[in-house]
Amino acid sequence: MTATKIDGTAIAKTIRERISKEIADKQARNPRYKPGLVIIQVGDRSDSSTYVRMKLKAAEEANIVCNLEKYAEDISEIELLEKIDAFNNDPAVHGILVQLPVPGHINEYNVTSAVADTKDVDGFGGPNIGELAKKGGTPLFVPCTPKGVMVLLEESGIDVRGKNAVVLGRSDIVGAPVSYLLRNADATVTVCHSRTQGMEDILRRADIVVAAIGKERFVKGDWLKKGAVVIDVGTNYVPDDTKKSGQRLVGDVDYDAAVEVASYITPVPGGVGPMTVAMLLRNVVNAADSYFDRQKSRHITPLPLKLKSPVPSDIAISRAQHPKMITKVASEVGIAPHELEPFGAYKAKVSLDVLSRLSHRRNGRYILVAGITPTPLGEGKSTTTIGLTQALAGQLGRIAFANVRQPSQGPTFGIKGGAAGGGYSQVIPMDEFNLHLTGDIHAITAANNLLAAAIDTRMYHEATQKDGPLFRRLVPEKKGKRTFLPIMFKRLKKLGIDKTDPNELTEEEAKKFARLDIDPETITWRRVLDVNDRHLRGITIGQAPTENKVPPRETGFDISVASECMAVLALSTDLADMRDRLGKMVVASSRAGDPVTADDLGIGGALTALMKDAIKPNLMQTLEGTPVFVHAGPFANISIGNSSIIADRVALKLAGTEQDEDHNAKTGFVVTEAGFDFTMGGERFMNIKCRNSGLVPDVVVIVATARALKVHGGGPEIKPGEQLAEVYRTENVGVLREGCVNLAKHIQNARQYGVEVVVAVNRFETDTDAELEVIREEALKAGAADAIPANHWAEGGVGAVDLAKGVIRVAEQSQPERFKLLYGLEDSVQERIEAIAKRMYGAAAVDFSETARKKVEMYTKQGLGNLPICIAKTQYSLSHDPALKGAPEGFTVPIRDVRMAAGAGYLFALAADVQTIPGLPTAPGYLNVEVDCETGEVDGLF
């Protein structure tokens, strides 16, 4: 009998047509679905080039994006590995194929192993081969030729179960993987190689023969069992004068003799070869499918909590929970390995590359957590932010991020203590959260103080040099040529000088360029440090004998988080925007009344260099292992009191949905916190942060406590460290209901922006059901969509499940188009301040001091008057006066001063005497701090 020829060309053509249709169908559902393959070829071997052309042609026909990357024969192994790594990190590339063989100076194993497992469409990497060899293993990809062999057998209707299969050859490319596949398909497999004894006898007992030995016509017809199935994988060239090339391709089997014995046989060419290419395309499509599936299959596996009653201290709870590795936290929410920069085991920075990779995604839901006017004890706003997120992600299965500010070390070692939440709703590890974290505040401190040094240094040099020498030293001659540095063109442009050659400037132009002529009385830039030190609030500098050319001047220190550099970090949208903002920061005025900026000093680039890593948000986790972004910490009294726009943007994309997902069913949540009450952090979030970011919140959560509302209902003053009065420890519905006017005002304030409100009643164990019902009644009467008690402090995410469900329900009905800001920038400065004071605080009028009026006139004249407003005031009242509780009306807000934050992009008006560097109490927090010298653990922070 004559064997049936297994037509690999026809079978492969059918498979390629199926693949092409499959891709077209998927692209119709998701236009972004574009499987991508990169073929890497080193050198220009003619045999390799032939295979590459076949693959390129087949990929093009199947609508697979295929790029050939050709590198010179002498490329080093390190350079080649760098190229592969870049493709590993490219989301548009789903498969990487290194065309073998590679030049002798390159280690083939190193190169094939460098291809990411998820892109190893050749299946040659260790994990894929290892999984294939393991019984029950699940390789991501099977090598293309062995896979083609199995498909040929399947398509030909050949059942291999229980058959004797002999594989000639044990290469990692064909022989070994084919033997694993046959074994996994329940064949009895024998592998023969050059050292095998009695090979002919073994072959005569074989039901299936796979020849991959690389020797032309090695297997003779009389070596085969009658009716055997022969799969010839050989590719050998022999001379043939009838061919244009002078040679033809033959296999490892003597085809003419074998065809008379076998039942099925593959020809060479036209057998396994076309299948190899078809299987490559199949693997690329599978790789693309896996990539897109991973984008939609993000899932957070929560850490279980072991709740105790009574609730232990915060630090005891933190220590009792073992965090996930930060790499796992990142992986669960879809952050790629190359986008993560770990700082130790439990914290990391996240690259802004995430934003470009996920730019196509619809944002997740955006939730703002603010509060009512608090007591000095705090009402659990941070704890609620964490607890709500733990409920959303840990209990309800949504992707959810808590976005919080980085705490300053000043309060940590002073009065307030840590800021990681509390009880069973906190960020861990708490000590790392509250101390150095990843060094962002240190970077801001360095940048701020470099700018302070630059100001005084420039004044010194201008005072000690004449115009000509000053210009020549600023623009020195190097190698016989004087050139402007790139940053200098910013000042030239500001001065209206369009010359690019320093030698072409007139004496007057050179003087204008070189002499900033800073008026010392107008310098607003102060030095900073991240420590509470009241004795640095006012200092005199320039007293050393070496500085006697410039009179000493008075200045002072602020706490680092009060630096405008911190506000810039919080409000920047990307690195370029941060660079622009840092350069625009106004530090003083010239004697002529012109604003002097950081770029005038030529320092904007250096400031950006110091802060370029700080712009990346910091990833941590909650007690339940759900993700937290900790980024930026602008001082809440005089600045915006919010975490960064960038952290919110990154989290919203990571929590968002792909184009072919049901948004309501699958979307995640970003829960971001605003400092103090809604009239402070919340108002600035809306009018400054949202104005700048273009983002709109879906829901505002107002955190309330019965304790604080009783204060606003006439309860006695609460002082830290003192016993709470009886009214706060027992039921008193009357006082509570009176105090709900404060909650009502905050609800009304939030709803002015067109956003619905959910009230989170942070429940204390002394609260009664009757009191909680009063708060709910008053909240709904004031216009809240819902008011829900939560016990996340004592129960973690479980205690906030009802709150989370309420937030989801209201968020699904959000109408972003209803969002509106409180004022327009075309309004005058006074009109903007009055809008905030009257509509947010309940004031009847605003009274400007003479200093404030003159400052506003100067900013307007300088072209810096059309900026949003940040009013610095007390956090203990809706008004400027901490003694006015409840919802006062009819008062006048005094504006003592108006200051400029041109880089951050707002004016801040002072309605209270706010200390920008707090002092330490008699018994500061640092007294409690100690380090266990055996374990290295920090005790006493909380």
Side-chain angles (χ1 to χ4, degrees):
M1 73 173 187
T2 301
T4 299
K5 183 174 73 171
I6 300 175
D7 191 345
T9 301
I11 294 172
K13 183 174 183 292
T14 301
I15 292 171
R16 294 204 310 269
E17 288 172 350
R18 286 202 298 259
I19 290 172
S20 181
K21 183 179 185 305
E22 179 183 334
I23 292 173
D25 291 343
K26 290 174 180 174
Q27 286 178 338
R29 295 192 297 273
N30 181 1
R32 292 190 64 256
Y33 183 85
K34 295 177 182 178
L37 170 66
V38 166
I39 299 175
I40 294 173
Q41 184 180 16
V42 181
D44 196 17
R45 290 174 50 127
S46 58
D47 51 350
S48 293
S49 296
T50 300
Y51 293 133
V52 167
R53 284 195 298 272
M54 291 169 54
K55 294 167 183 175
L56 289 170
K57 184 174 183 295
E60 182 182 0
E61 291 174 352
N63 202 17
I64 290 174
V65 179
C66 185
N67 294 317
L68 171 61
E69 297 290 330
K70 296 186 71 171
Y71 303 117
E73 182 90 15
D74 61 354
I75 188 173
S76 70
E77 183 175 310
I78 290 177
E79 289 176 305
L80 183 57
L81 294 176
E82 287 175 352
K83 301 287 187 184
I84 292 172
D85 191 54
F87 293 126
N88 283 338
N89 297 335
D90 186 343
V93 174
H94 304 109
I96 301 171
L97 183 154
V98 180
Q99 188 67 41
L100 300 177
V102 292
H105 68 281
I106 293 175
N107 185 301
E108 183 177 297
Y109 174 82
N110 290 345
V111 169
T112 55
S113 298
V115 176
D117 298 341
T118 55
K119 300 188 179 188
D120 178 26
V121 290
D122 245 347
F124 292 159
N128 279 317
I129 289 292
E131 284 293 316
L132 184 60
K134 185 170 65 176
K135 183 180 180 181
T138 54
L140 295 174
F141 303 103
V142 173
C144 301
T145 299
K147 186 174 183 177
V149 168
M150 298 304 293
V151 173
L152 281 177
L153 292 170
E154 181 183 350
E155 292 282 340
S156 301
I158 299 165
D159 187 358
V160 303
R161 288 177 298 177
K163 302 290 176 55
N164 287 324
V166 173
V167 177
L168 296 183
R170 54 180 174 177
S171 74
D172 291 335
I173 296 175
V174 180
V178 162
S179 70
Y180 304 147
L181 289 169
L182 288 166
R183 181 202 63 193
N184 294 341
D186 295 328
T188 300
V189 183
T190 302
V191 178
C192 296
H193 47 81
S194 59
R195 301 296 178 89
T196 301
Q197 302 295 315
M199 188 182 300
E200 294 178 23
D201 291 337
I202 295 171
L203 283 169
R204 289 190 180 102
R205 296 193 295 273
D207 301 311
I208 299 170
V209 175
V210 178
I213 205 167
K215 295 184 178 181
E216 62 175 276
R217 292 176 286 210
F218 177 78
V219 179
K220 311 304 179 187
D222 57 3
W223 293 4
L224 300 173
K225 177 181 178 180
K226 192 72 174 176
V229 175
V230 178
I231 306 294
D232 192 349
V233 189
T235 53
N236 309 286
Y237 286 94
V238 298
D240 188 338
D241 294 339
T242 66
K243 299 292 183 181
K244 184 177 180 181
S245 63
Q247 57 184 6
R248 64 186 173 93
L249 190 64
V250 299
D252 290 350
V253 177
D254 184 347
Y255 182 86
D256 292 337
V259 75
E260 301 299 328
V261 181
S263 58
Y264 289 87
I265 190 170
T266 59
V268 177
V272 177
M275 291 299 294
T276 298
V277 177
M279 292 305 98
L280 171 63
L281 303 185
R282 177 74 270 163
N283 279 354
V284 173
V285 171
N286 289 349
D289 289 347
S290 295
Y291 172 80
F292 283 95
D293 287 344
R294 286 195 301 275
Q295 305 312 299
K296 295 184 287 188
S297 62
R298 293 158 289 142
H299 176 72
I300 296 169
T301 303
L303 296 174
L305 293 178
K306 296 178 182 178
L307 303 177
K308 292 184 178 181
S309 183
V311 176
S313 68
D314 290 351
I315 189 62
I317 293 172
S318 177
R319 290 274 167 76
Q321 183 69 293
H322 186 71
K324 299 176 186 176
M325 299 296 287
I326 200 64
T327 50
K328 180 172 177 57
V329 176
S331 175
E332 288 181 344
V333 295
I335 297 172
H338 72 279
E339 294 166 343
L340 194 74
E341 301 172 17
F343 278 66
Y346 306 122
K347 58 184 183 289
K349 281 197 165 292
V350 175
S351 167
L352 303 194
D353 291 345
V354 171
L355 292 173
S356 56
R357 177 172 67 86
L358 301 180
S359 60
H360 63 281
R361 272 194 189 163
R362 184 174 175 180
N363 284 346
R365 302 288 191 195
Y366 199 25
I367 312 300
L368 171 66
V369 176
I372 62 170
T373 305
T375 70
L377 301 180
E379 310 315 309
K381 192 165 66 292
S382 298
T383 305
T384 301
T385 299
I386 303 303
L388 172 57
T389 308
Q390 289 179 163
L392 288 165
Q395 304 301 319
L396 300 181
R398 297 295 188 108
I399 299 295
F401 289 81
N403 281 14
V404 298
R405 289 175 292 160
Q406 180 179 352
S408 165
Q409 290 180 36
T412 296
F413 291 115
I415 297 176
K416 185 173 183 289
Y424 286 101
S425 295
Q426 53 177 295
V427 182
I428 58 173
M430 288 185 74
D431 52 351
E432 295 186 25
F433 174 85
N434 282 288
L435 296 178
H436 305 285
L437 199 58
T438 58
D440 291 353
I441 293 181
H442 302 317
I444 285 162
T445 303
N448 183 102
N449 292 344
L450 177 63
L451 178 50
I455 296 166
D456 291 303
T457 298
R458 185 60 170 265
M459 291 171 64
Y460 174 84
H461 289 303
E462 288 190 25
T464 57
Q465 299 178 56
K466 294 183 178 180
D467 296 340
L470 177 65
F471 177 76
R472 290 192 293 273
R473 287 192 175 100
L474 283 170
V475 192
E477 188 176 282
K478 294 182 180 179
K479 297 181 179 179
K481 188 176 182 181
R482 196 181 303 277
T483 57
F484 287 120
L485 293 171
I487 197 169
M488 293 176 175
F489 289 104
K490 291 180 179 291
R491 176 154 177 81
L492 290 167
K493 182 178 180 181
K494 177 180 176 179
L495 296 172
I497 301 171
D498 58 6
K499 298 172 183 176
T500 58
D501 185 348
N503 298 310
E504 293 181 359
L505 267 64
T506 65
E507 285 189 13
E508 184 59 29
E509 288 172 335
K511 177 182 177 180
K512 286 173 61 179
F513 169 81
R515 225 167 255 292
L516 302 181
D517 199 23
I518 293 172
D519 181 352
E521 296 297 321
T522 66
I523 297 174
T524 56
W525 199 261
R526 292 153 59 95
R527 288 160 173 81
V528 301
L529 77 168
D530 198 30
V531 174
N532 287 358
D533 190 344
R534 69 175 71 242
H535 301 287
L536 293 176
R537 290 170 180 166
I539 64 171
T540 302
I541 63 171
Q543 293 183 314
T546 53
E547 314 307 307
N548 59 10
K549 300 294 184 182
V550 178
R553 70 178 181 90
E554 292 184 355
T555 181
F557 273 76
D558 297 328
I559 198 163
S560 295
V561 293
S563 170
E564 188 178 348
C565 293
M566 177 62 89
V568 165
L569 178 67
L571 291 170
S572 294
T573 54
D574 54 32
L575 185 61
D577 184 41
M578 186 175 79
R579 167 64 184 89
D580 186 55
R581 288 172 176 272
L582 289 171
K584 286 180 177 177
M585 293 189 303
V586 174
V587 300
S589 293
S590 70
R591 286 186 170 85
D594 298 320
V596 177
T597 67
D599 271 343
D600 286 328
L601 286 156
I603 202 171
L607 303 182
T608 309
L610 284 169
M611 292 175 55
K612 70 179 181 64
D613 290 322
I615 199 172
K616 303 169 188 174
N618 305 297
L619 181 67
M620 294 190 76
Q621 63 191 290
T622 69
L623 276 167
E624 297 187 38
T626 66
V628 179
F629 274 130
V630 185
H631 200 216
F635 202 45
N637 291 95
I638 66 164
S639 188
I640 65 166
N642 285 266
S643 62
S644 75
I645 287 173
I646 282 176
D648 289 356
R649 290 180 63 212
V650 171
L652 285 166
K653 290 302 180 186
L654 290 167
T657 51
E658 296 290 326
Q659 294 172 335
D660 53 351
E661 288 185 286
D662 181 332
H663 187 64
N664 269 351
K666 296 286 289 183
T667 192
F669 292 79
V670 177
V671 184
T672 190
E673 174 196 5
F676 296 137
D677 65 5
F678 184 84
T679 61
M680 294 184 71
E683 181 270 317
R684 296 163 192 171
F685 176 91
M686 300 294 191
N687 289 309
I688 299 177
K689 189 175 177 181
C690 290
R691 191 192 301 269
N692 195 56
S693 69
L695 301 172
V696 175
D698 294 284
V699 178
V700 172
V701 175
I702 301 290
V703 180
T705 64
R707 179 181 67 194
L709 291 172
K710 287 178 179 179
V711 170
H712 294 292
E717 184 181 358
I718 291 177
K719 295 182 179 179
E722 294 186 4
Q723 171 72 39
L724 287 174
E726 184 180 358
V727 68
Y728 303 119
R729 295 181 280 113
T730 59
E731 182 178 298
N732 193 318
V733 171
V735 172
L736 176 65
R737 194 179 293 276
E738 287 292 322
C740 283
V741 294
N742 185 271
L743 172 61
K745 178 58 176 169
H746 283 292
I747 293 169
Q748 293 159 10
N749 281 350
R751 296 190 73 228
Q752 287 189 59
Y753 297 91
V755 183
E756 292 298 325
V757 174
V758 172
V759 173
V761 185
N762 188 16
R763 183 168 192 167
F764 293 176
E765 55 188 8
T766 54
D767 298 343
T768 68
D769 290 342
E771 289 178 327
L772 295 175
E773 184 57 32
V774 165
I775 297 173
R776 176 174 171 79
E777 286 175 10
E778 295 297 327
L780 295 179
K781 187 166 69 174
D786 210 339
I788 305 168
N791 196 24
H792 41 278
W793 180 81
E795 298 178 357
V798 170
V801 166
D802 289 344
L803 174 62
K805 289 179 178 177
V807 167
I808 292 173
R809 183 174 61 254
V810 176
E812 287 177 348
Q813 300 165 5
S814 69
Q815 298 175 291
E817 66 278 4
R818 292 177 52 205
F819 181 76
K820 57 187 180 227
L821 296 167
L822 194 66
Y823 53 80
L825 298 183
E826 67 282 357
D827 301 336
S828 70
V829 173
Q830 180 160 341
E831 287 172 332
R832 276 172 263 156
I833 292 175
E834 287 178 343
I836 297 171
K838 292 179 178 179
R839 296 175 62 184
M840 291 287 102
Y841 307 162
V846 173
D847 180 43
F848 281 74
S849 70
E850 188 62 26
T851 297
R853 290 190 184 282
K854 287 182 178 179
K855 290 278 193 76
V856 169
E857 288 174 4
M858 180 178 68
Y859 299 145
T860 303
K861 182 180 178 181
Q862 292 175 341
L864 299 170
N866 59 336
L867 296 173
I869 304 296
C870 177
I871 300 181
K873 73 175 192 71
T874 179
Q875 68 267 36
Y876 296 124
S877 172
L878 281 163
S879 75
H880 64 287
D881 183 353
L884 297 178
K885 302 300 183 184
E889 294 180 339
F891 55 90
T892 298
V893 176
I895 301 299
R896 298 187 298 104
D897 196 1
V898 178
R899 296 178 185 171
M900 168 66 63
Y906 58 80
L907 301 173
F908 61 99
L910 276 67
D913 186 14
V914 178
Q915 295 294 349
T916 54
I917 182 165
L920 293 169
T922 305
Y926 63 69
L927 293 174
N928 303 305
V929 177
E930 192 53 83
V931 175
D932 185 321
C933 294
E934 290 189 7
T935 65
E937 290 183 335
V938 178
D939 291 314
L941 274 175
F942 322 103

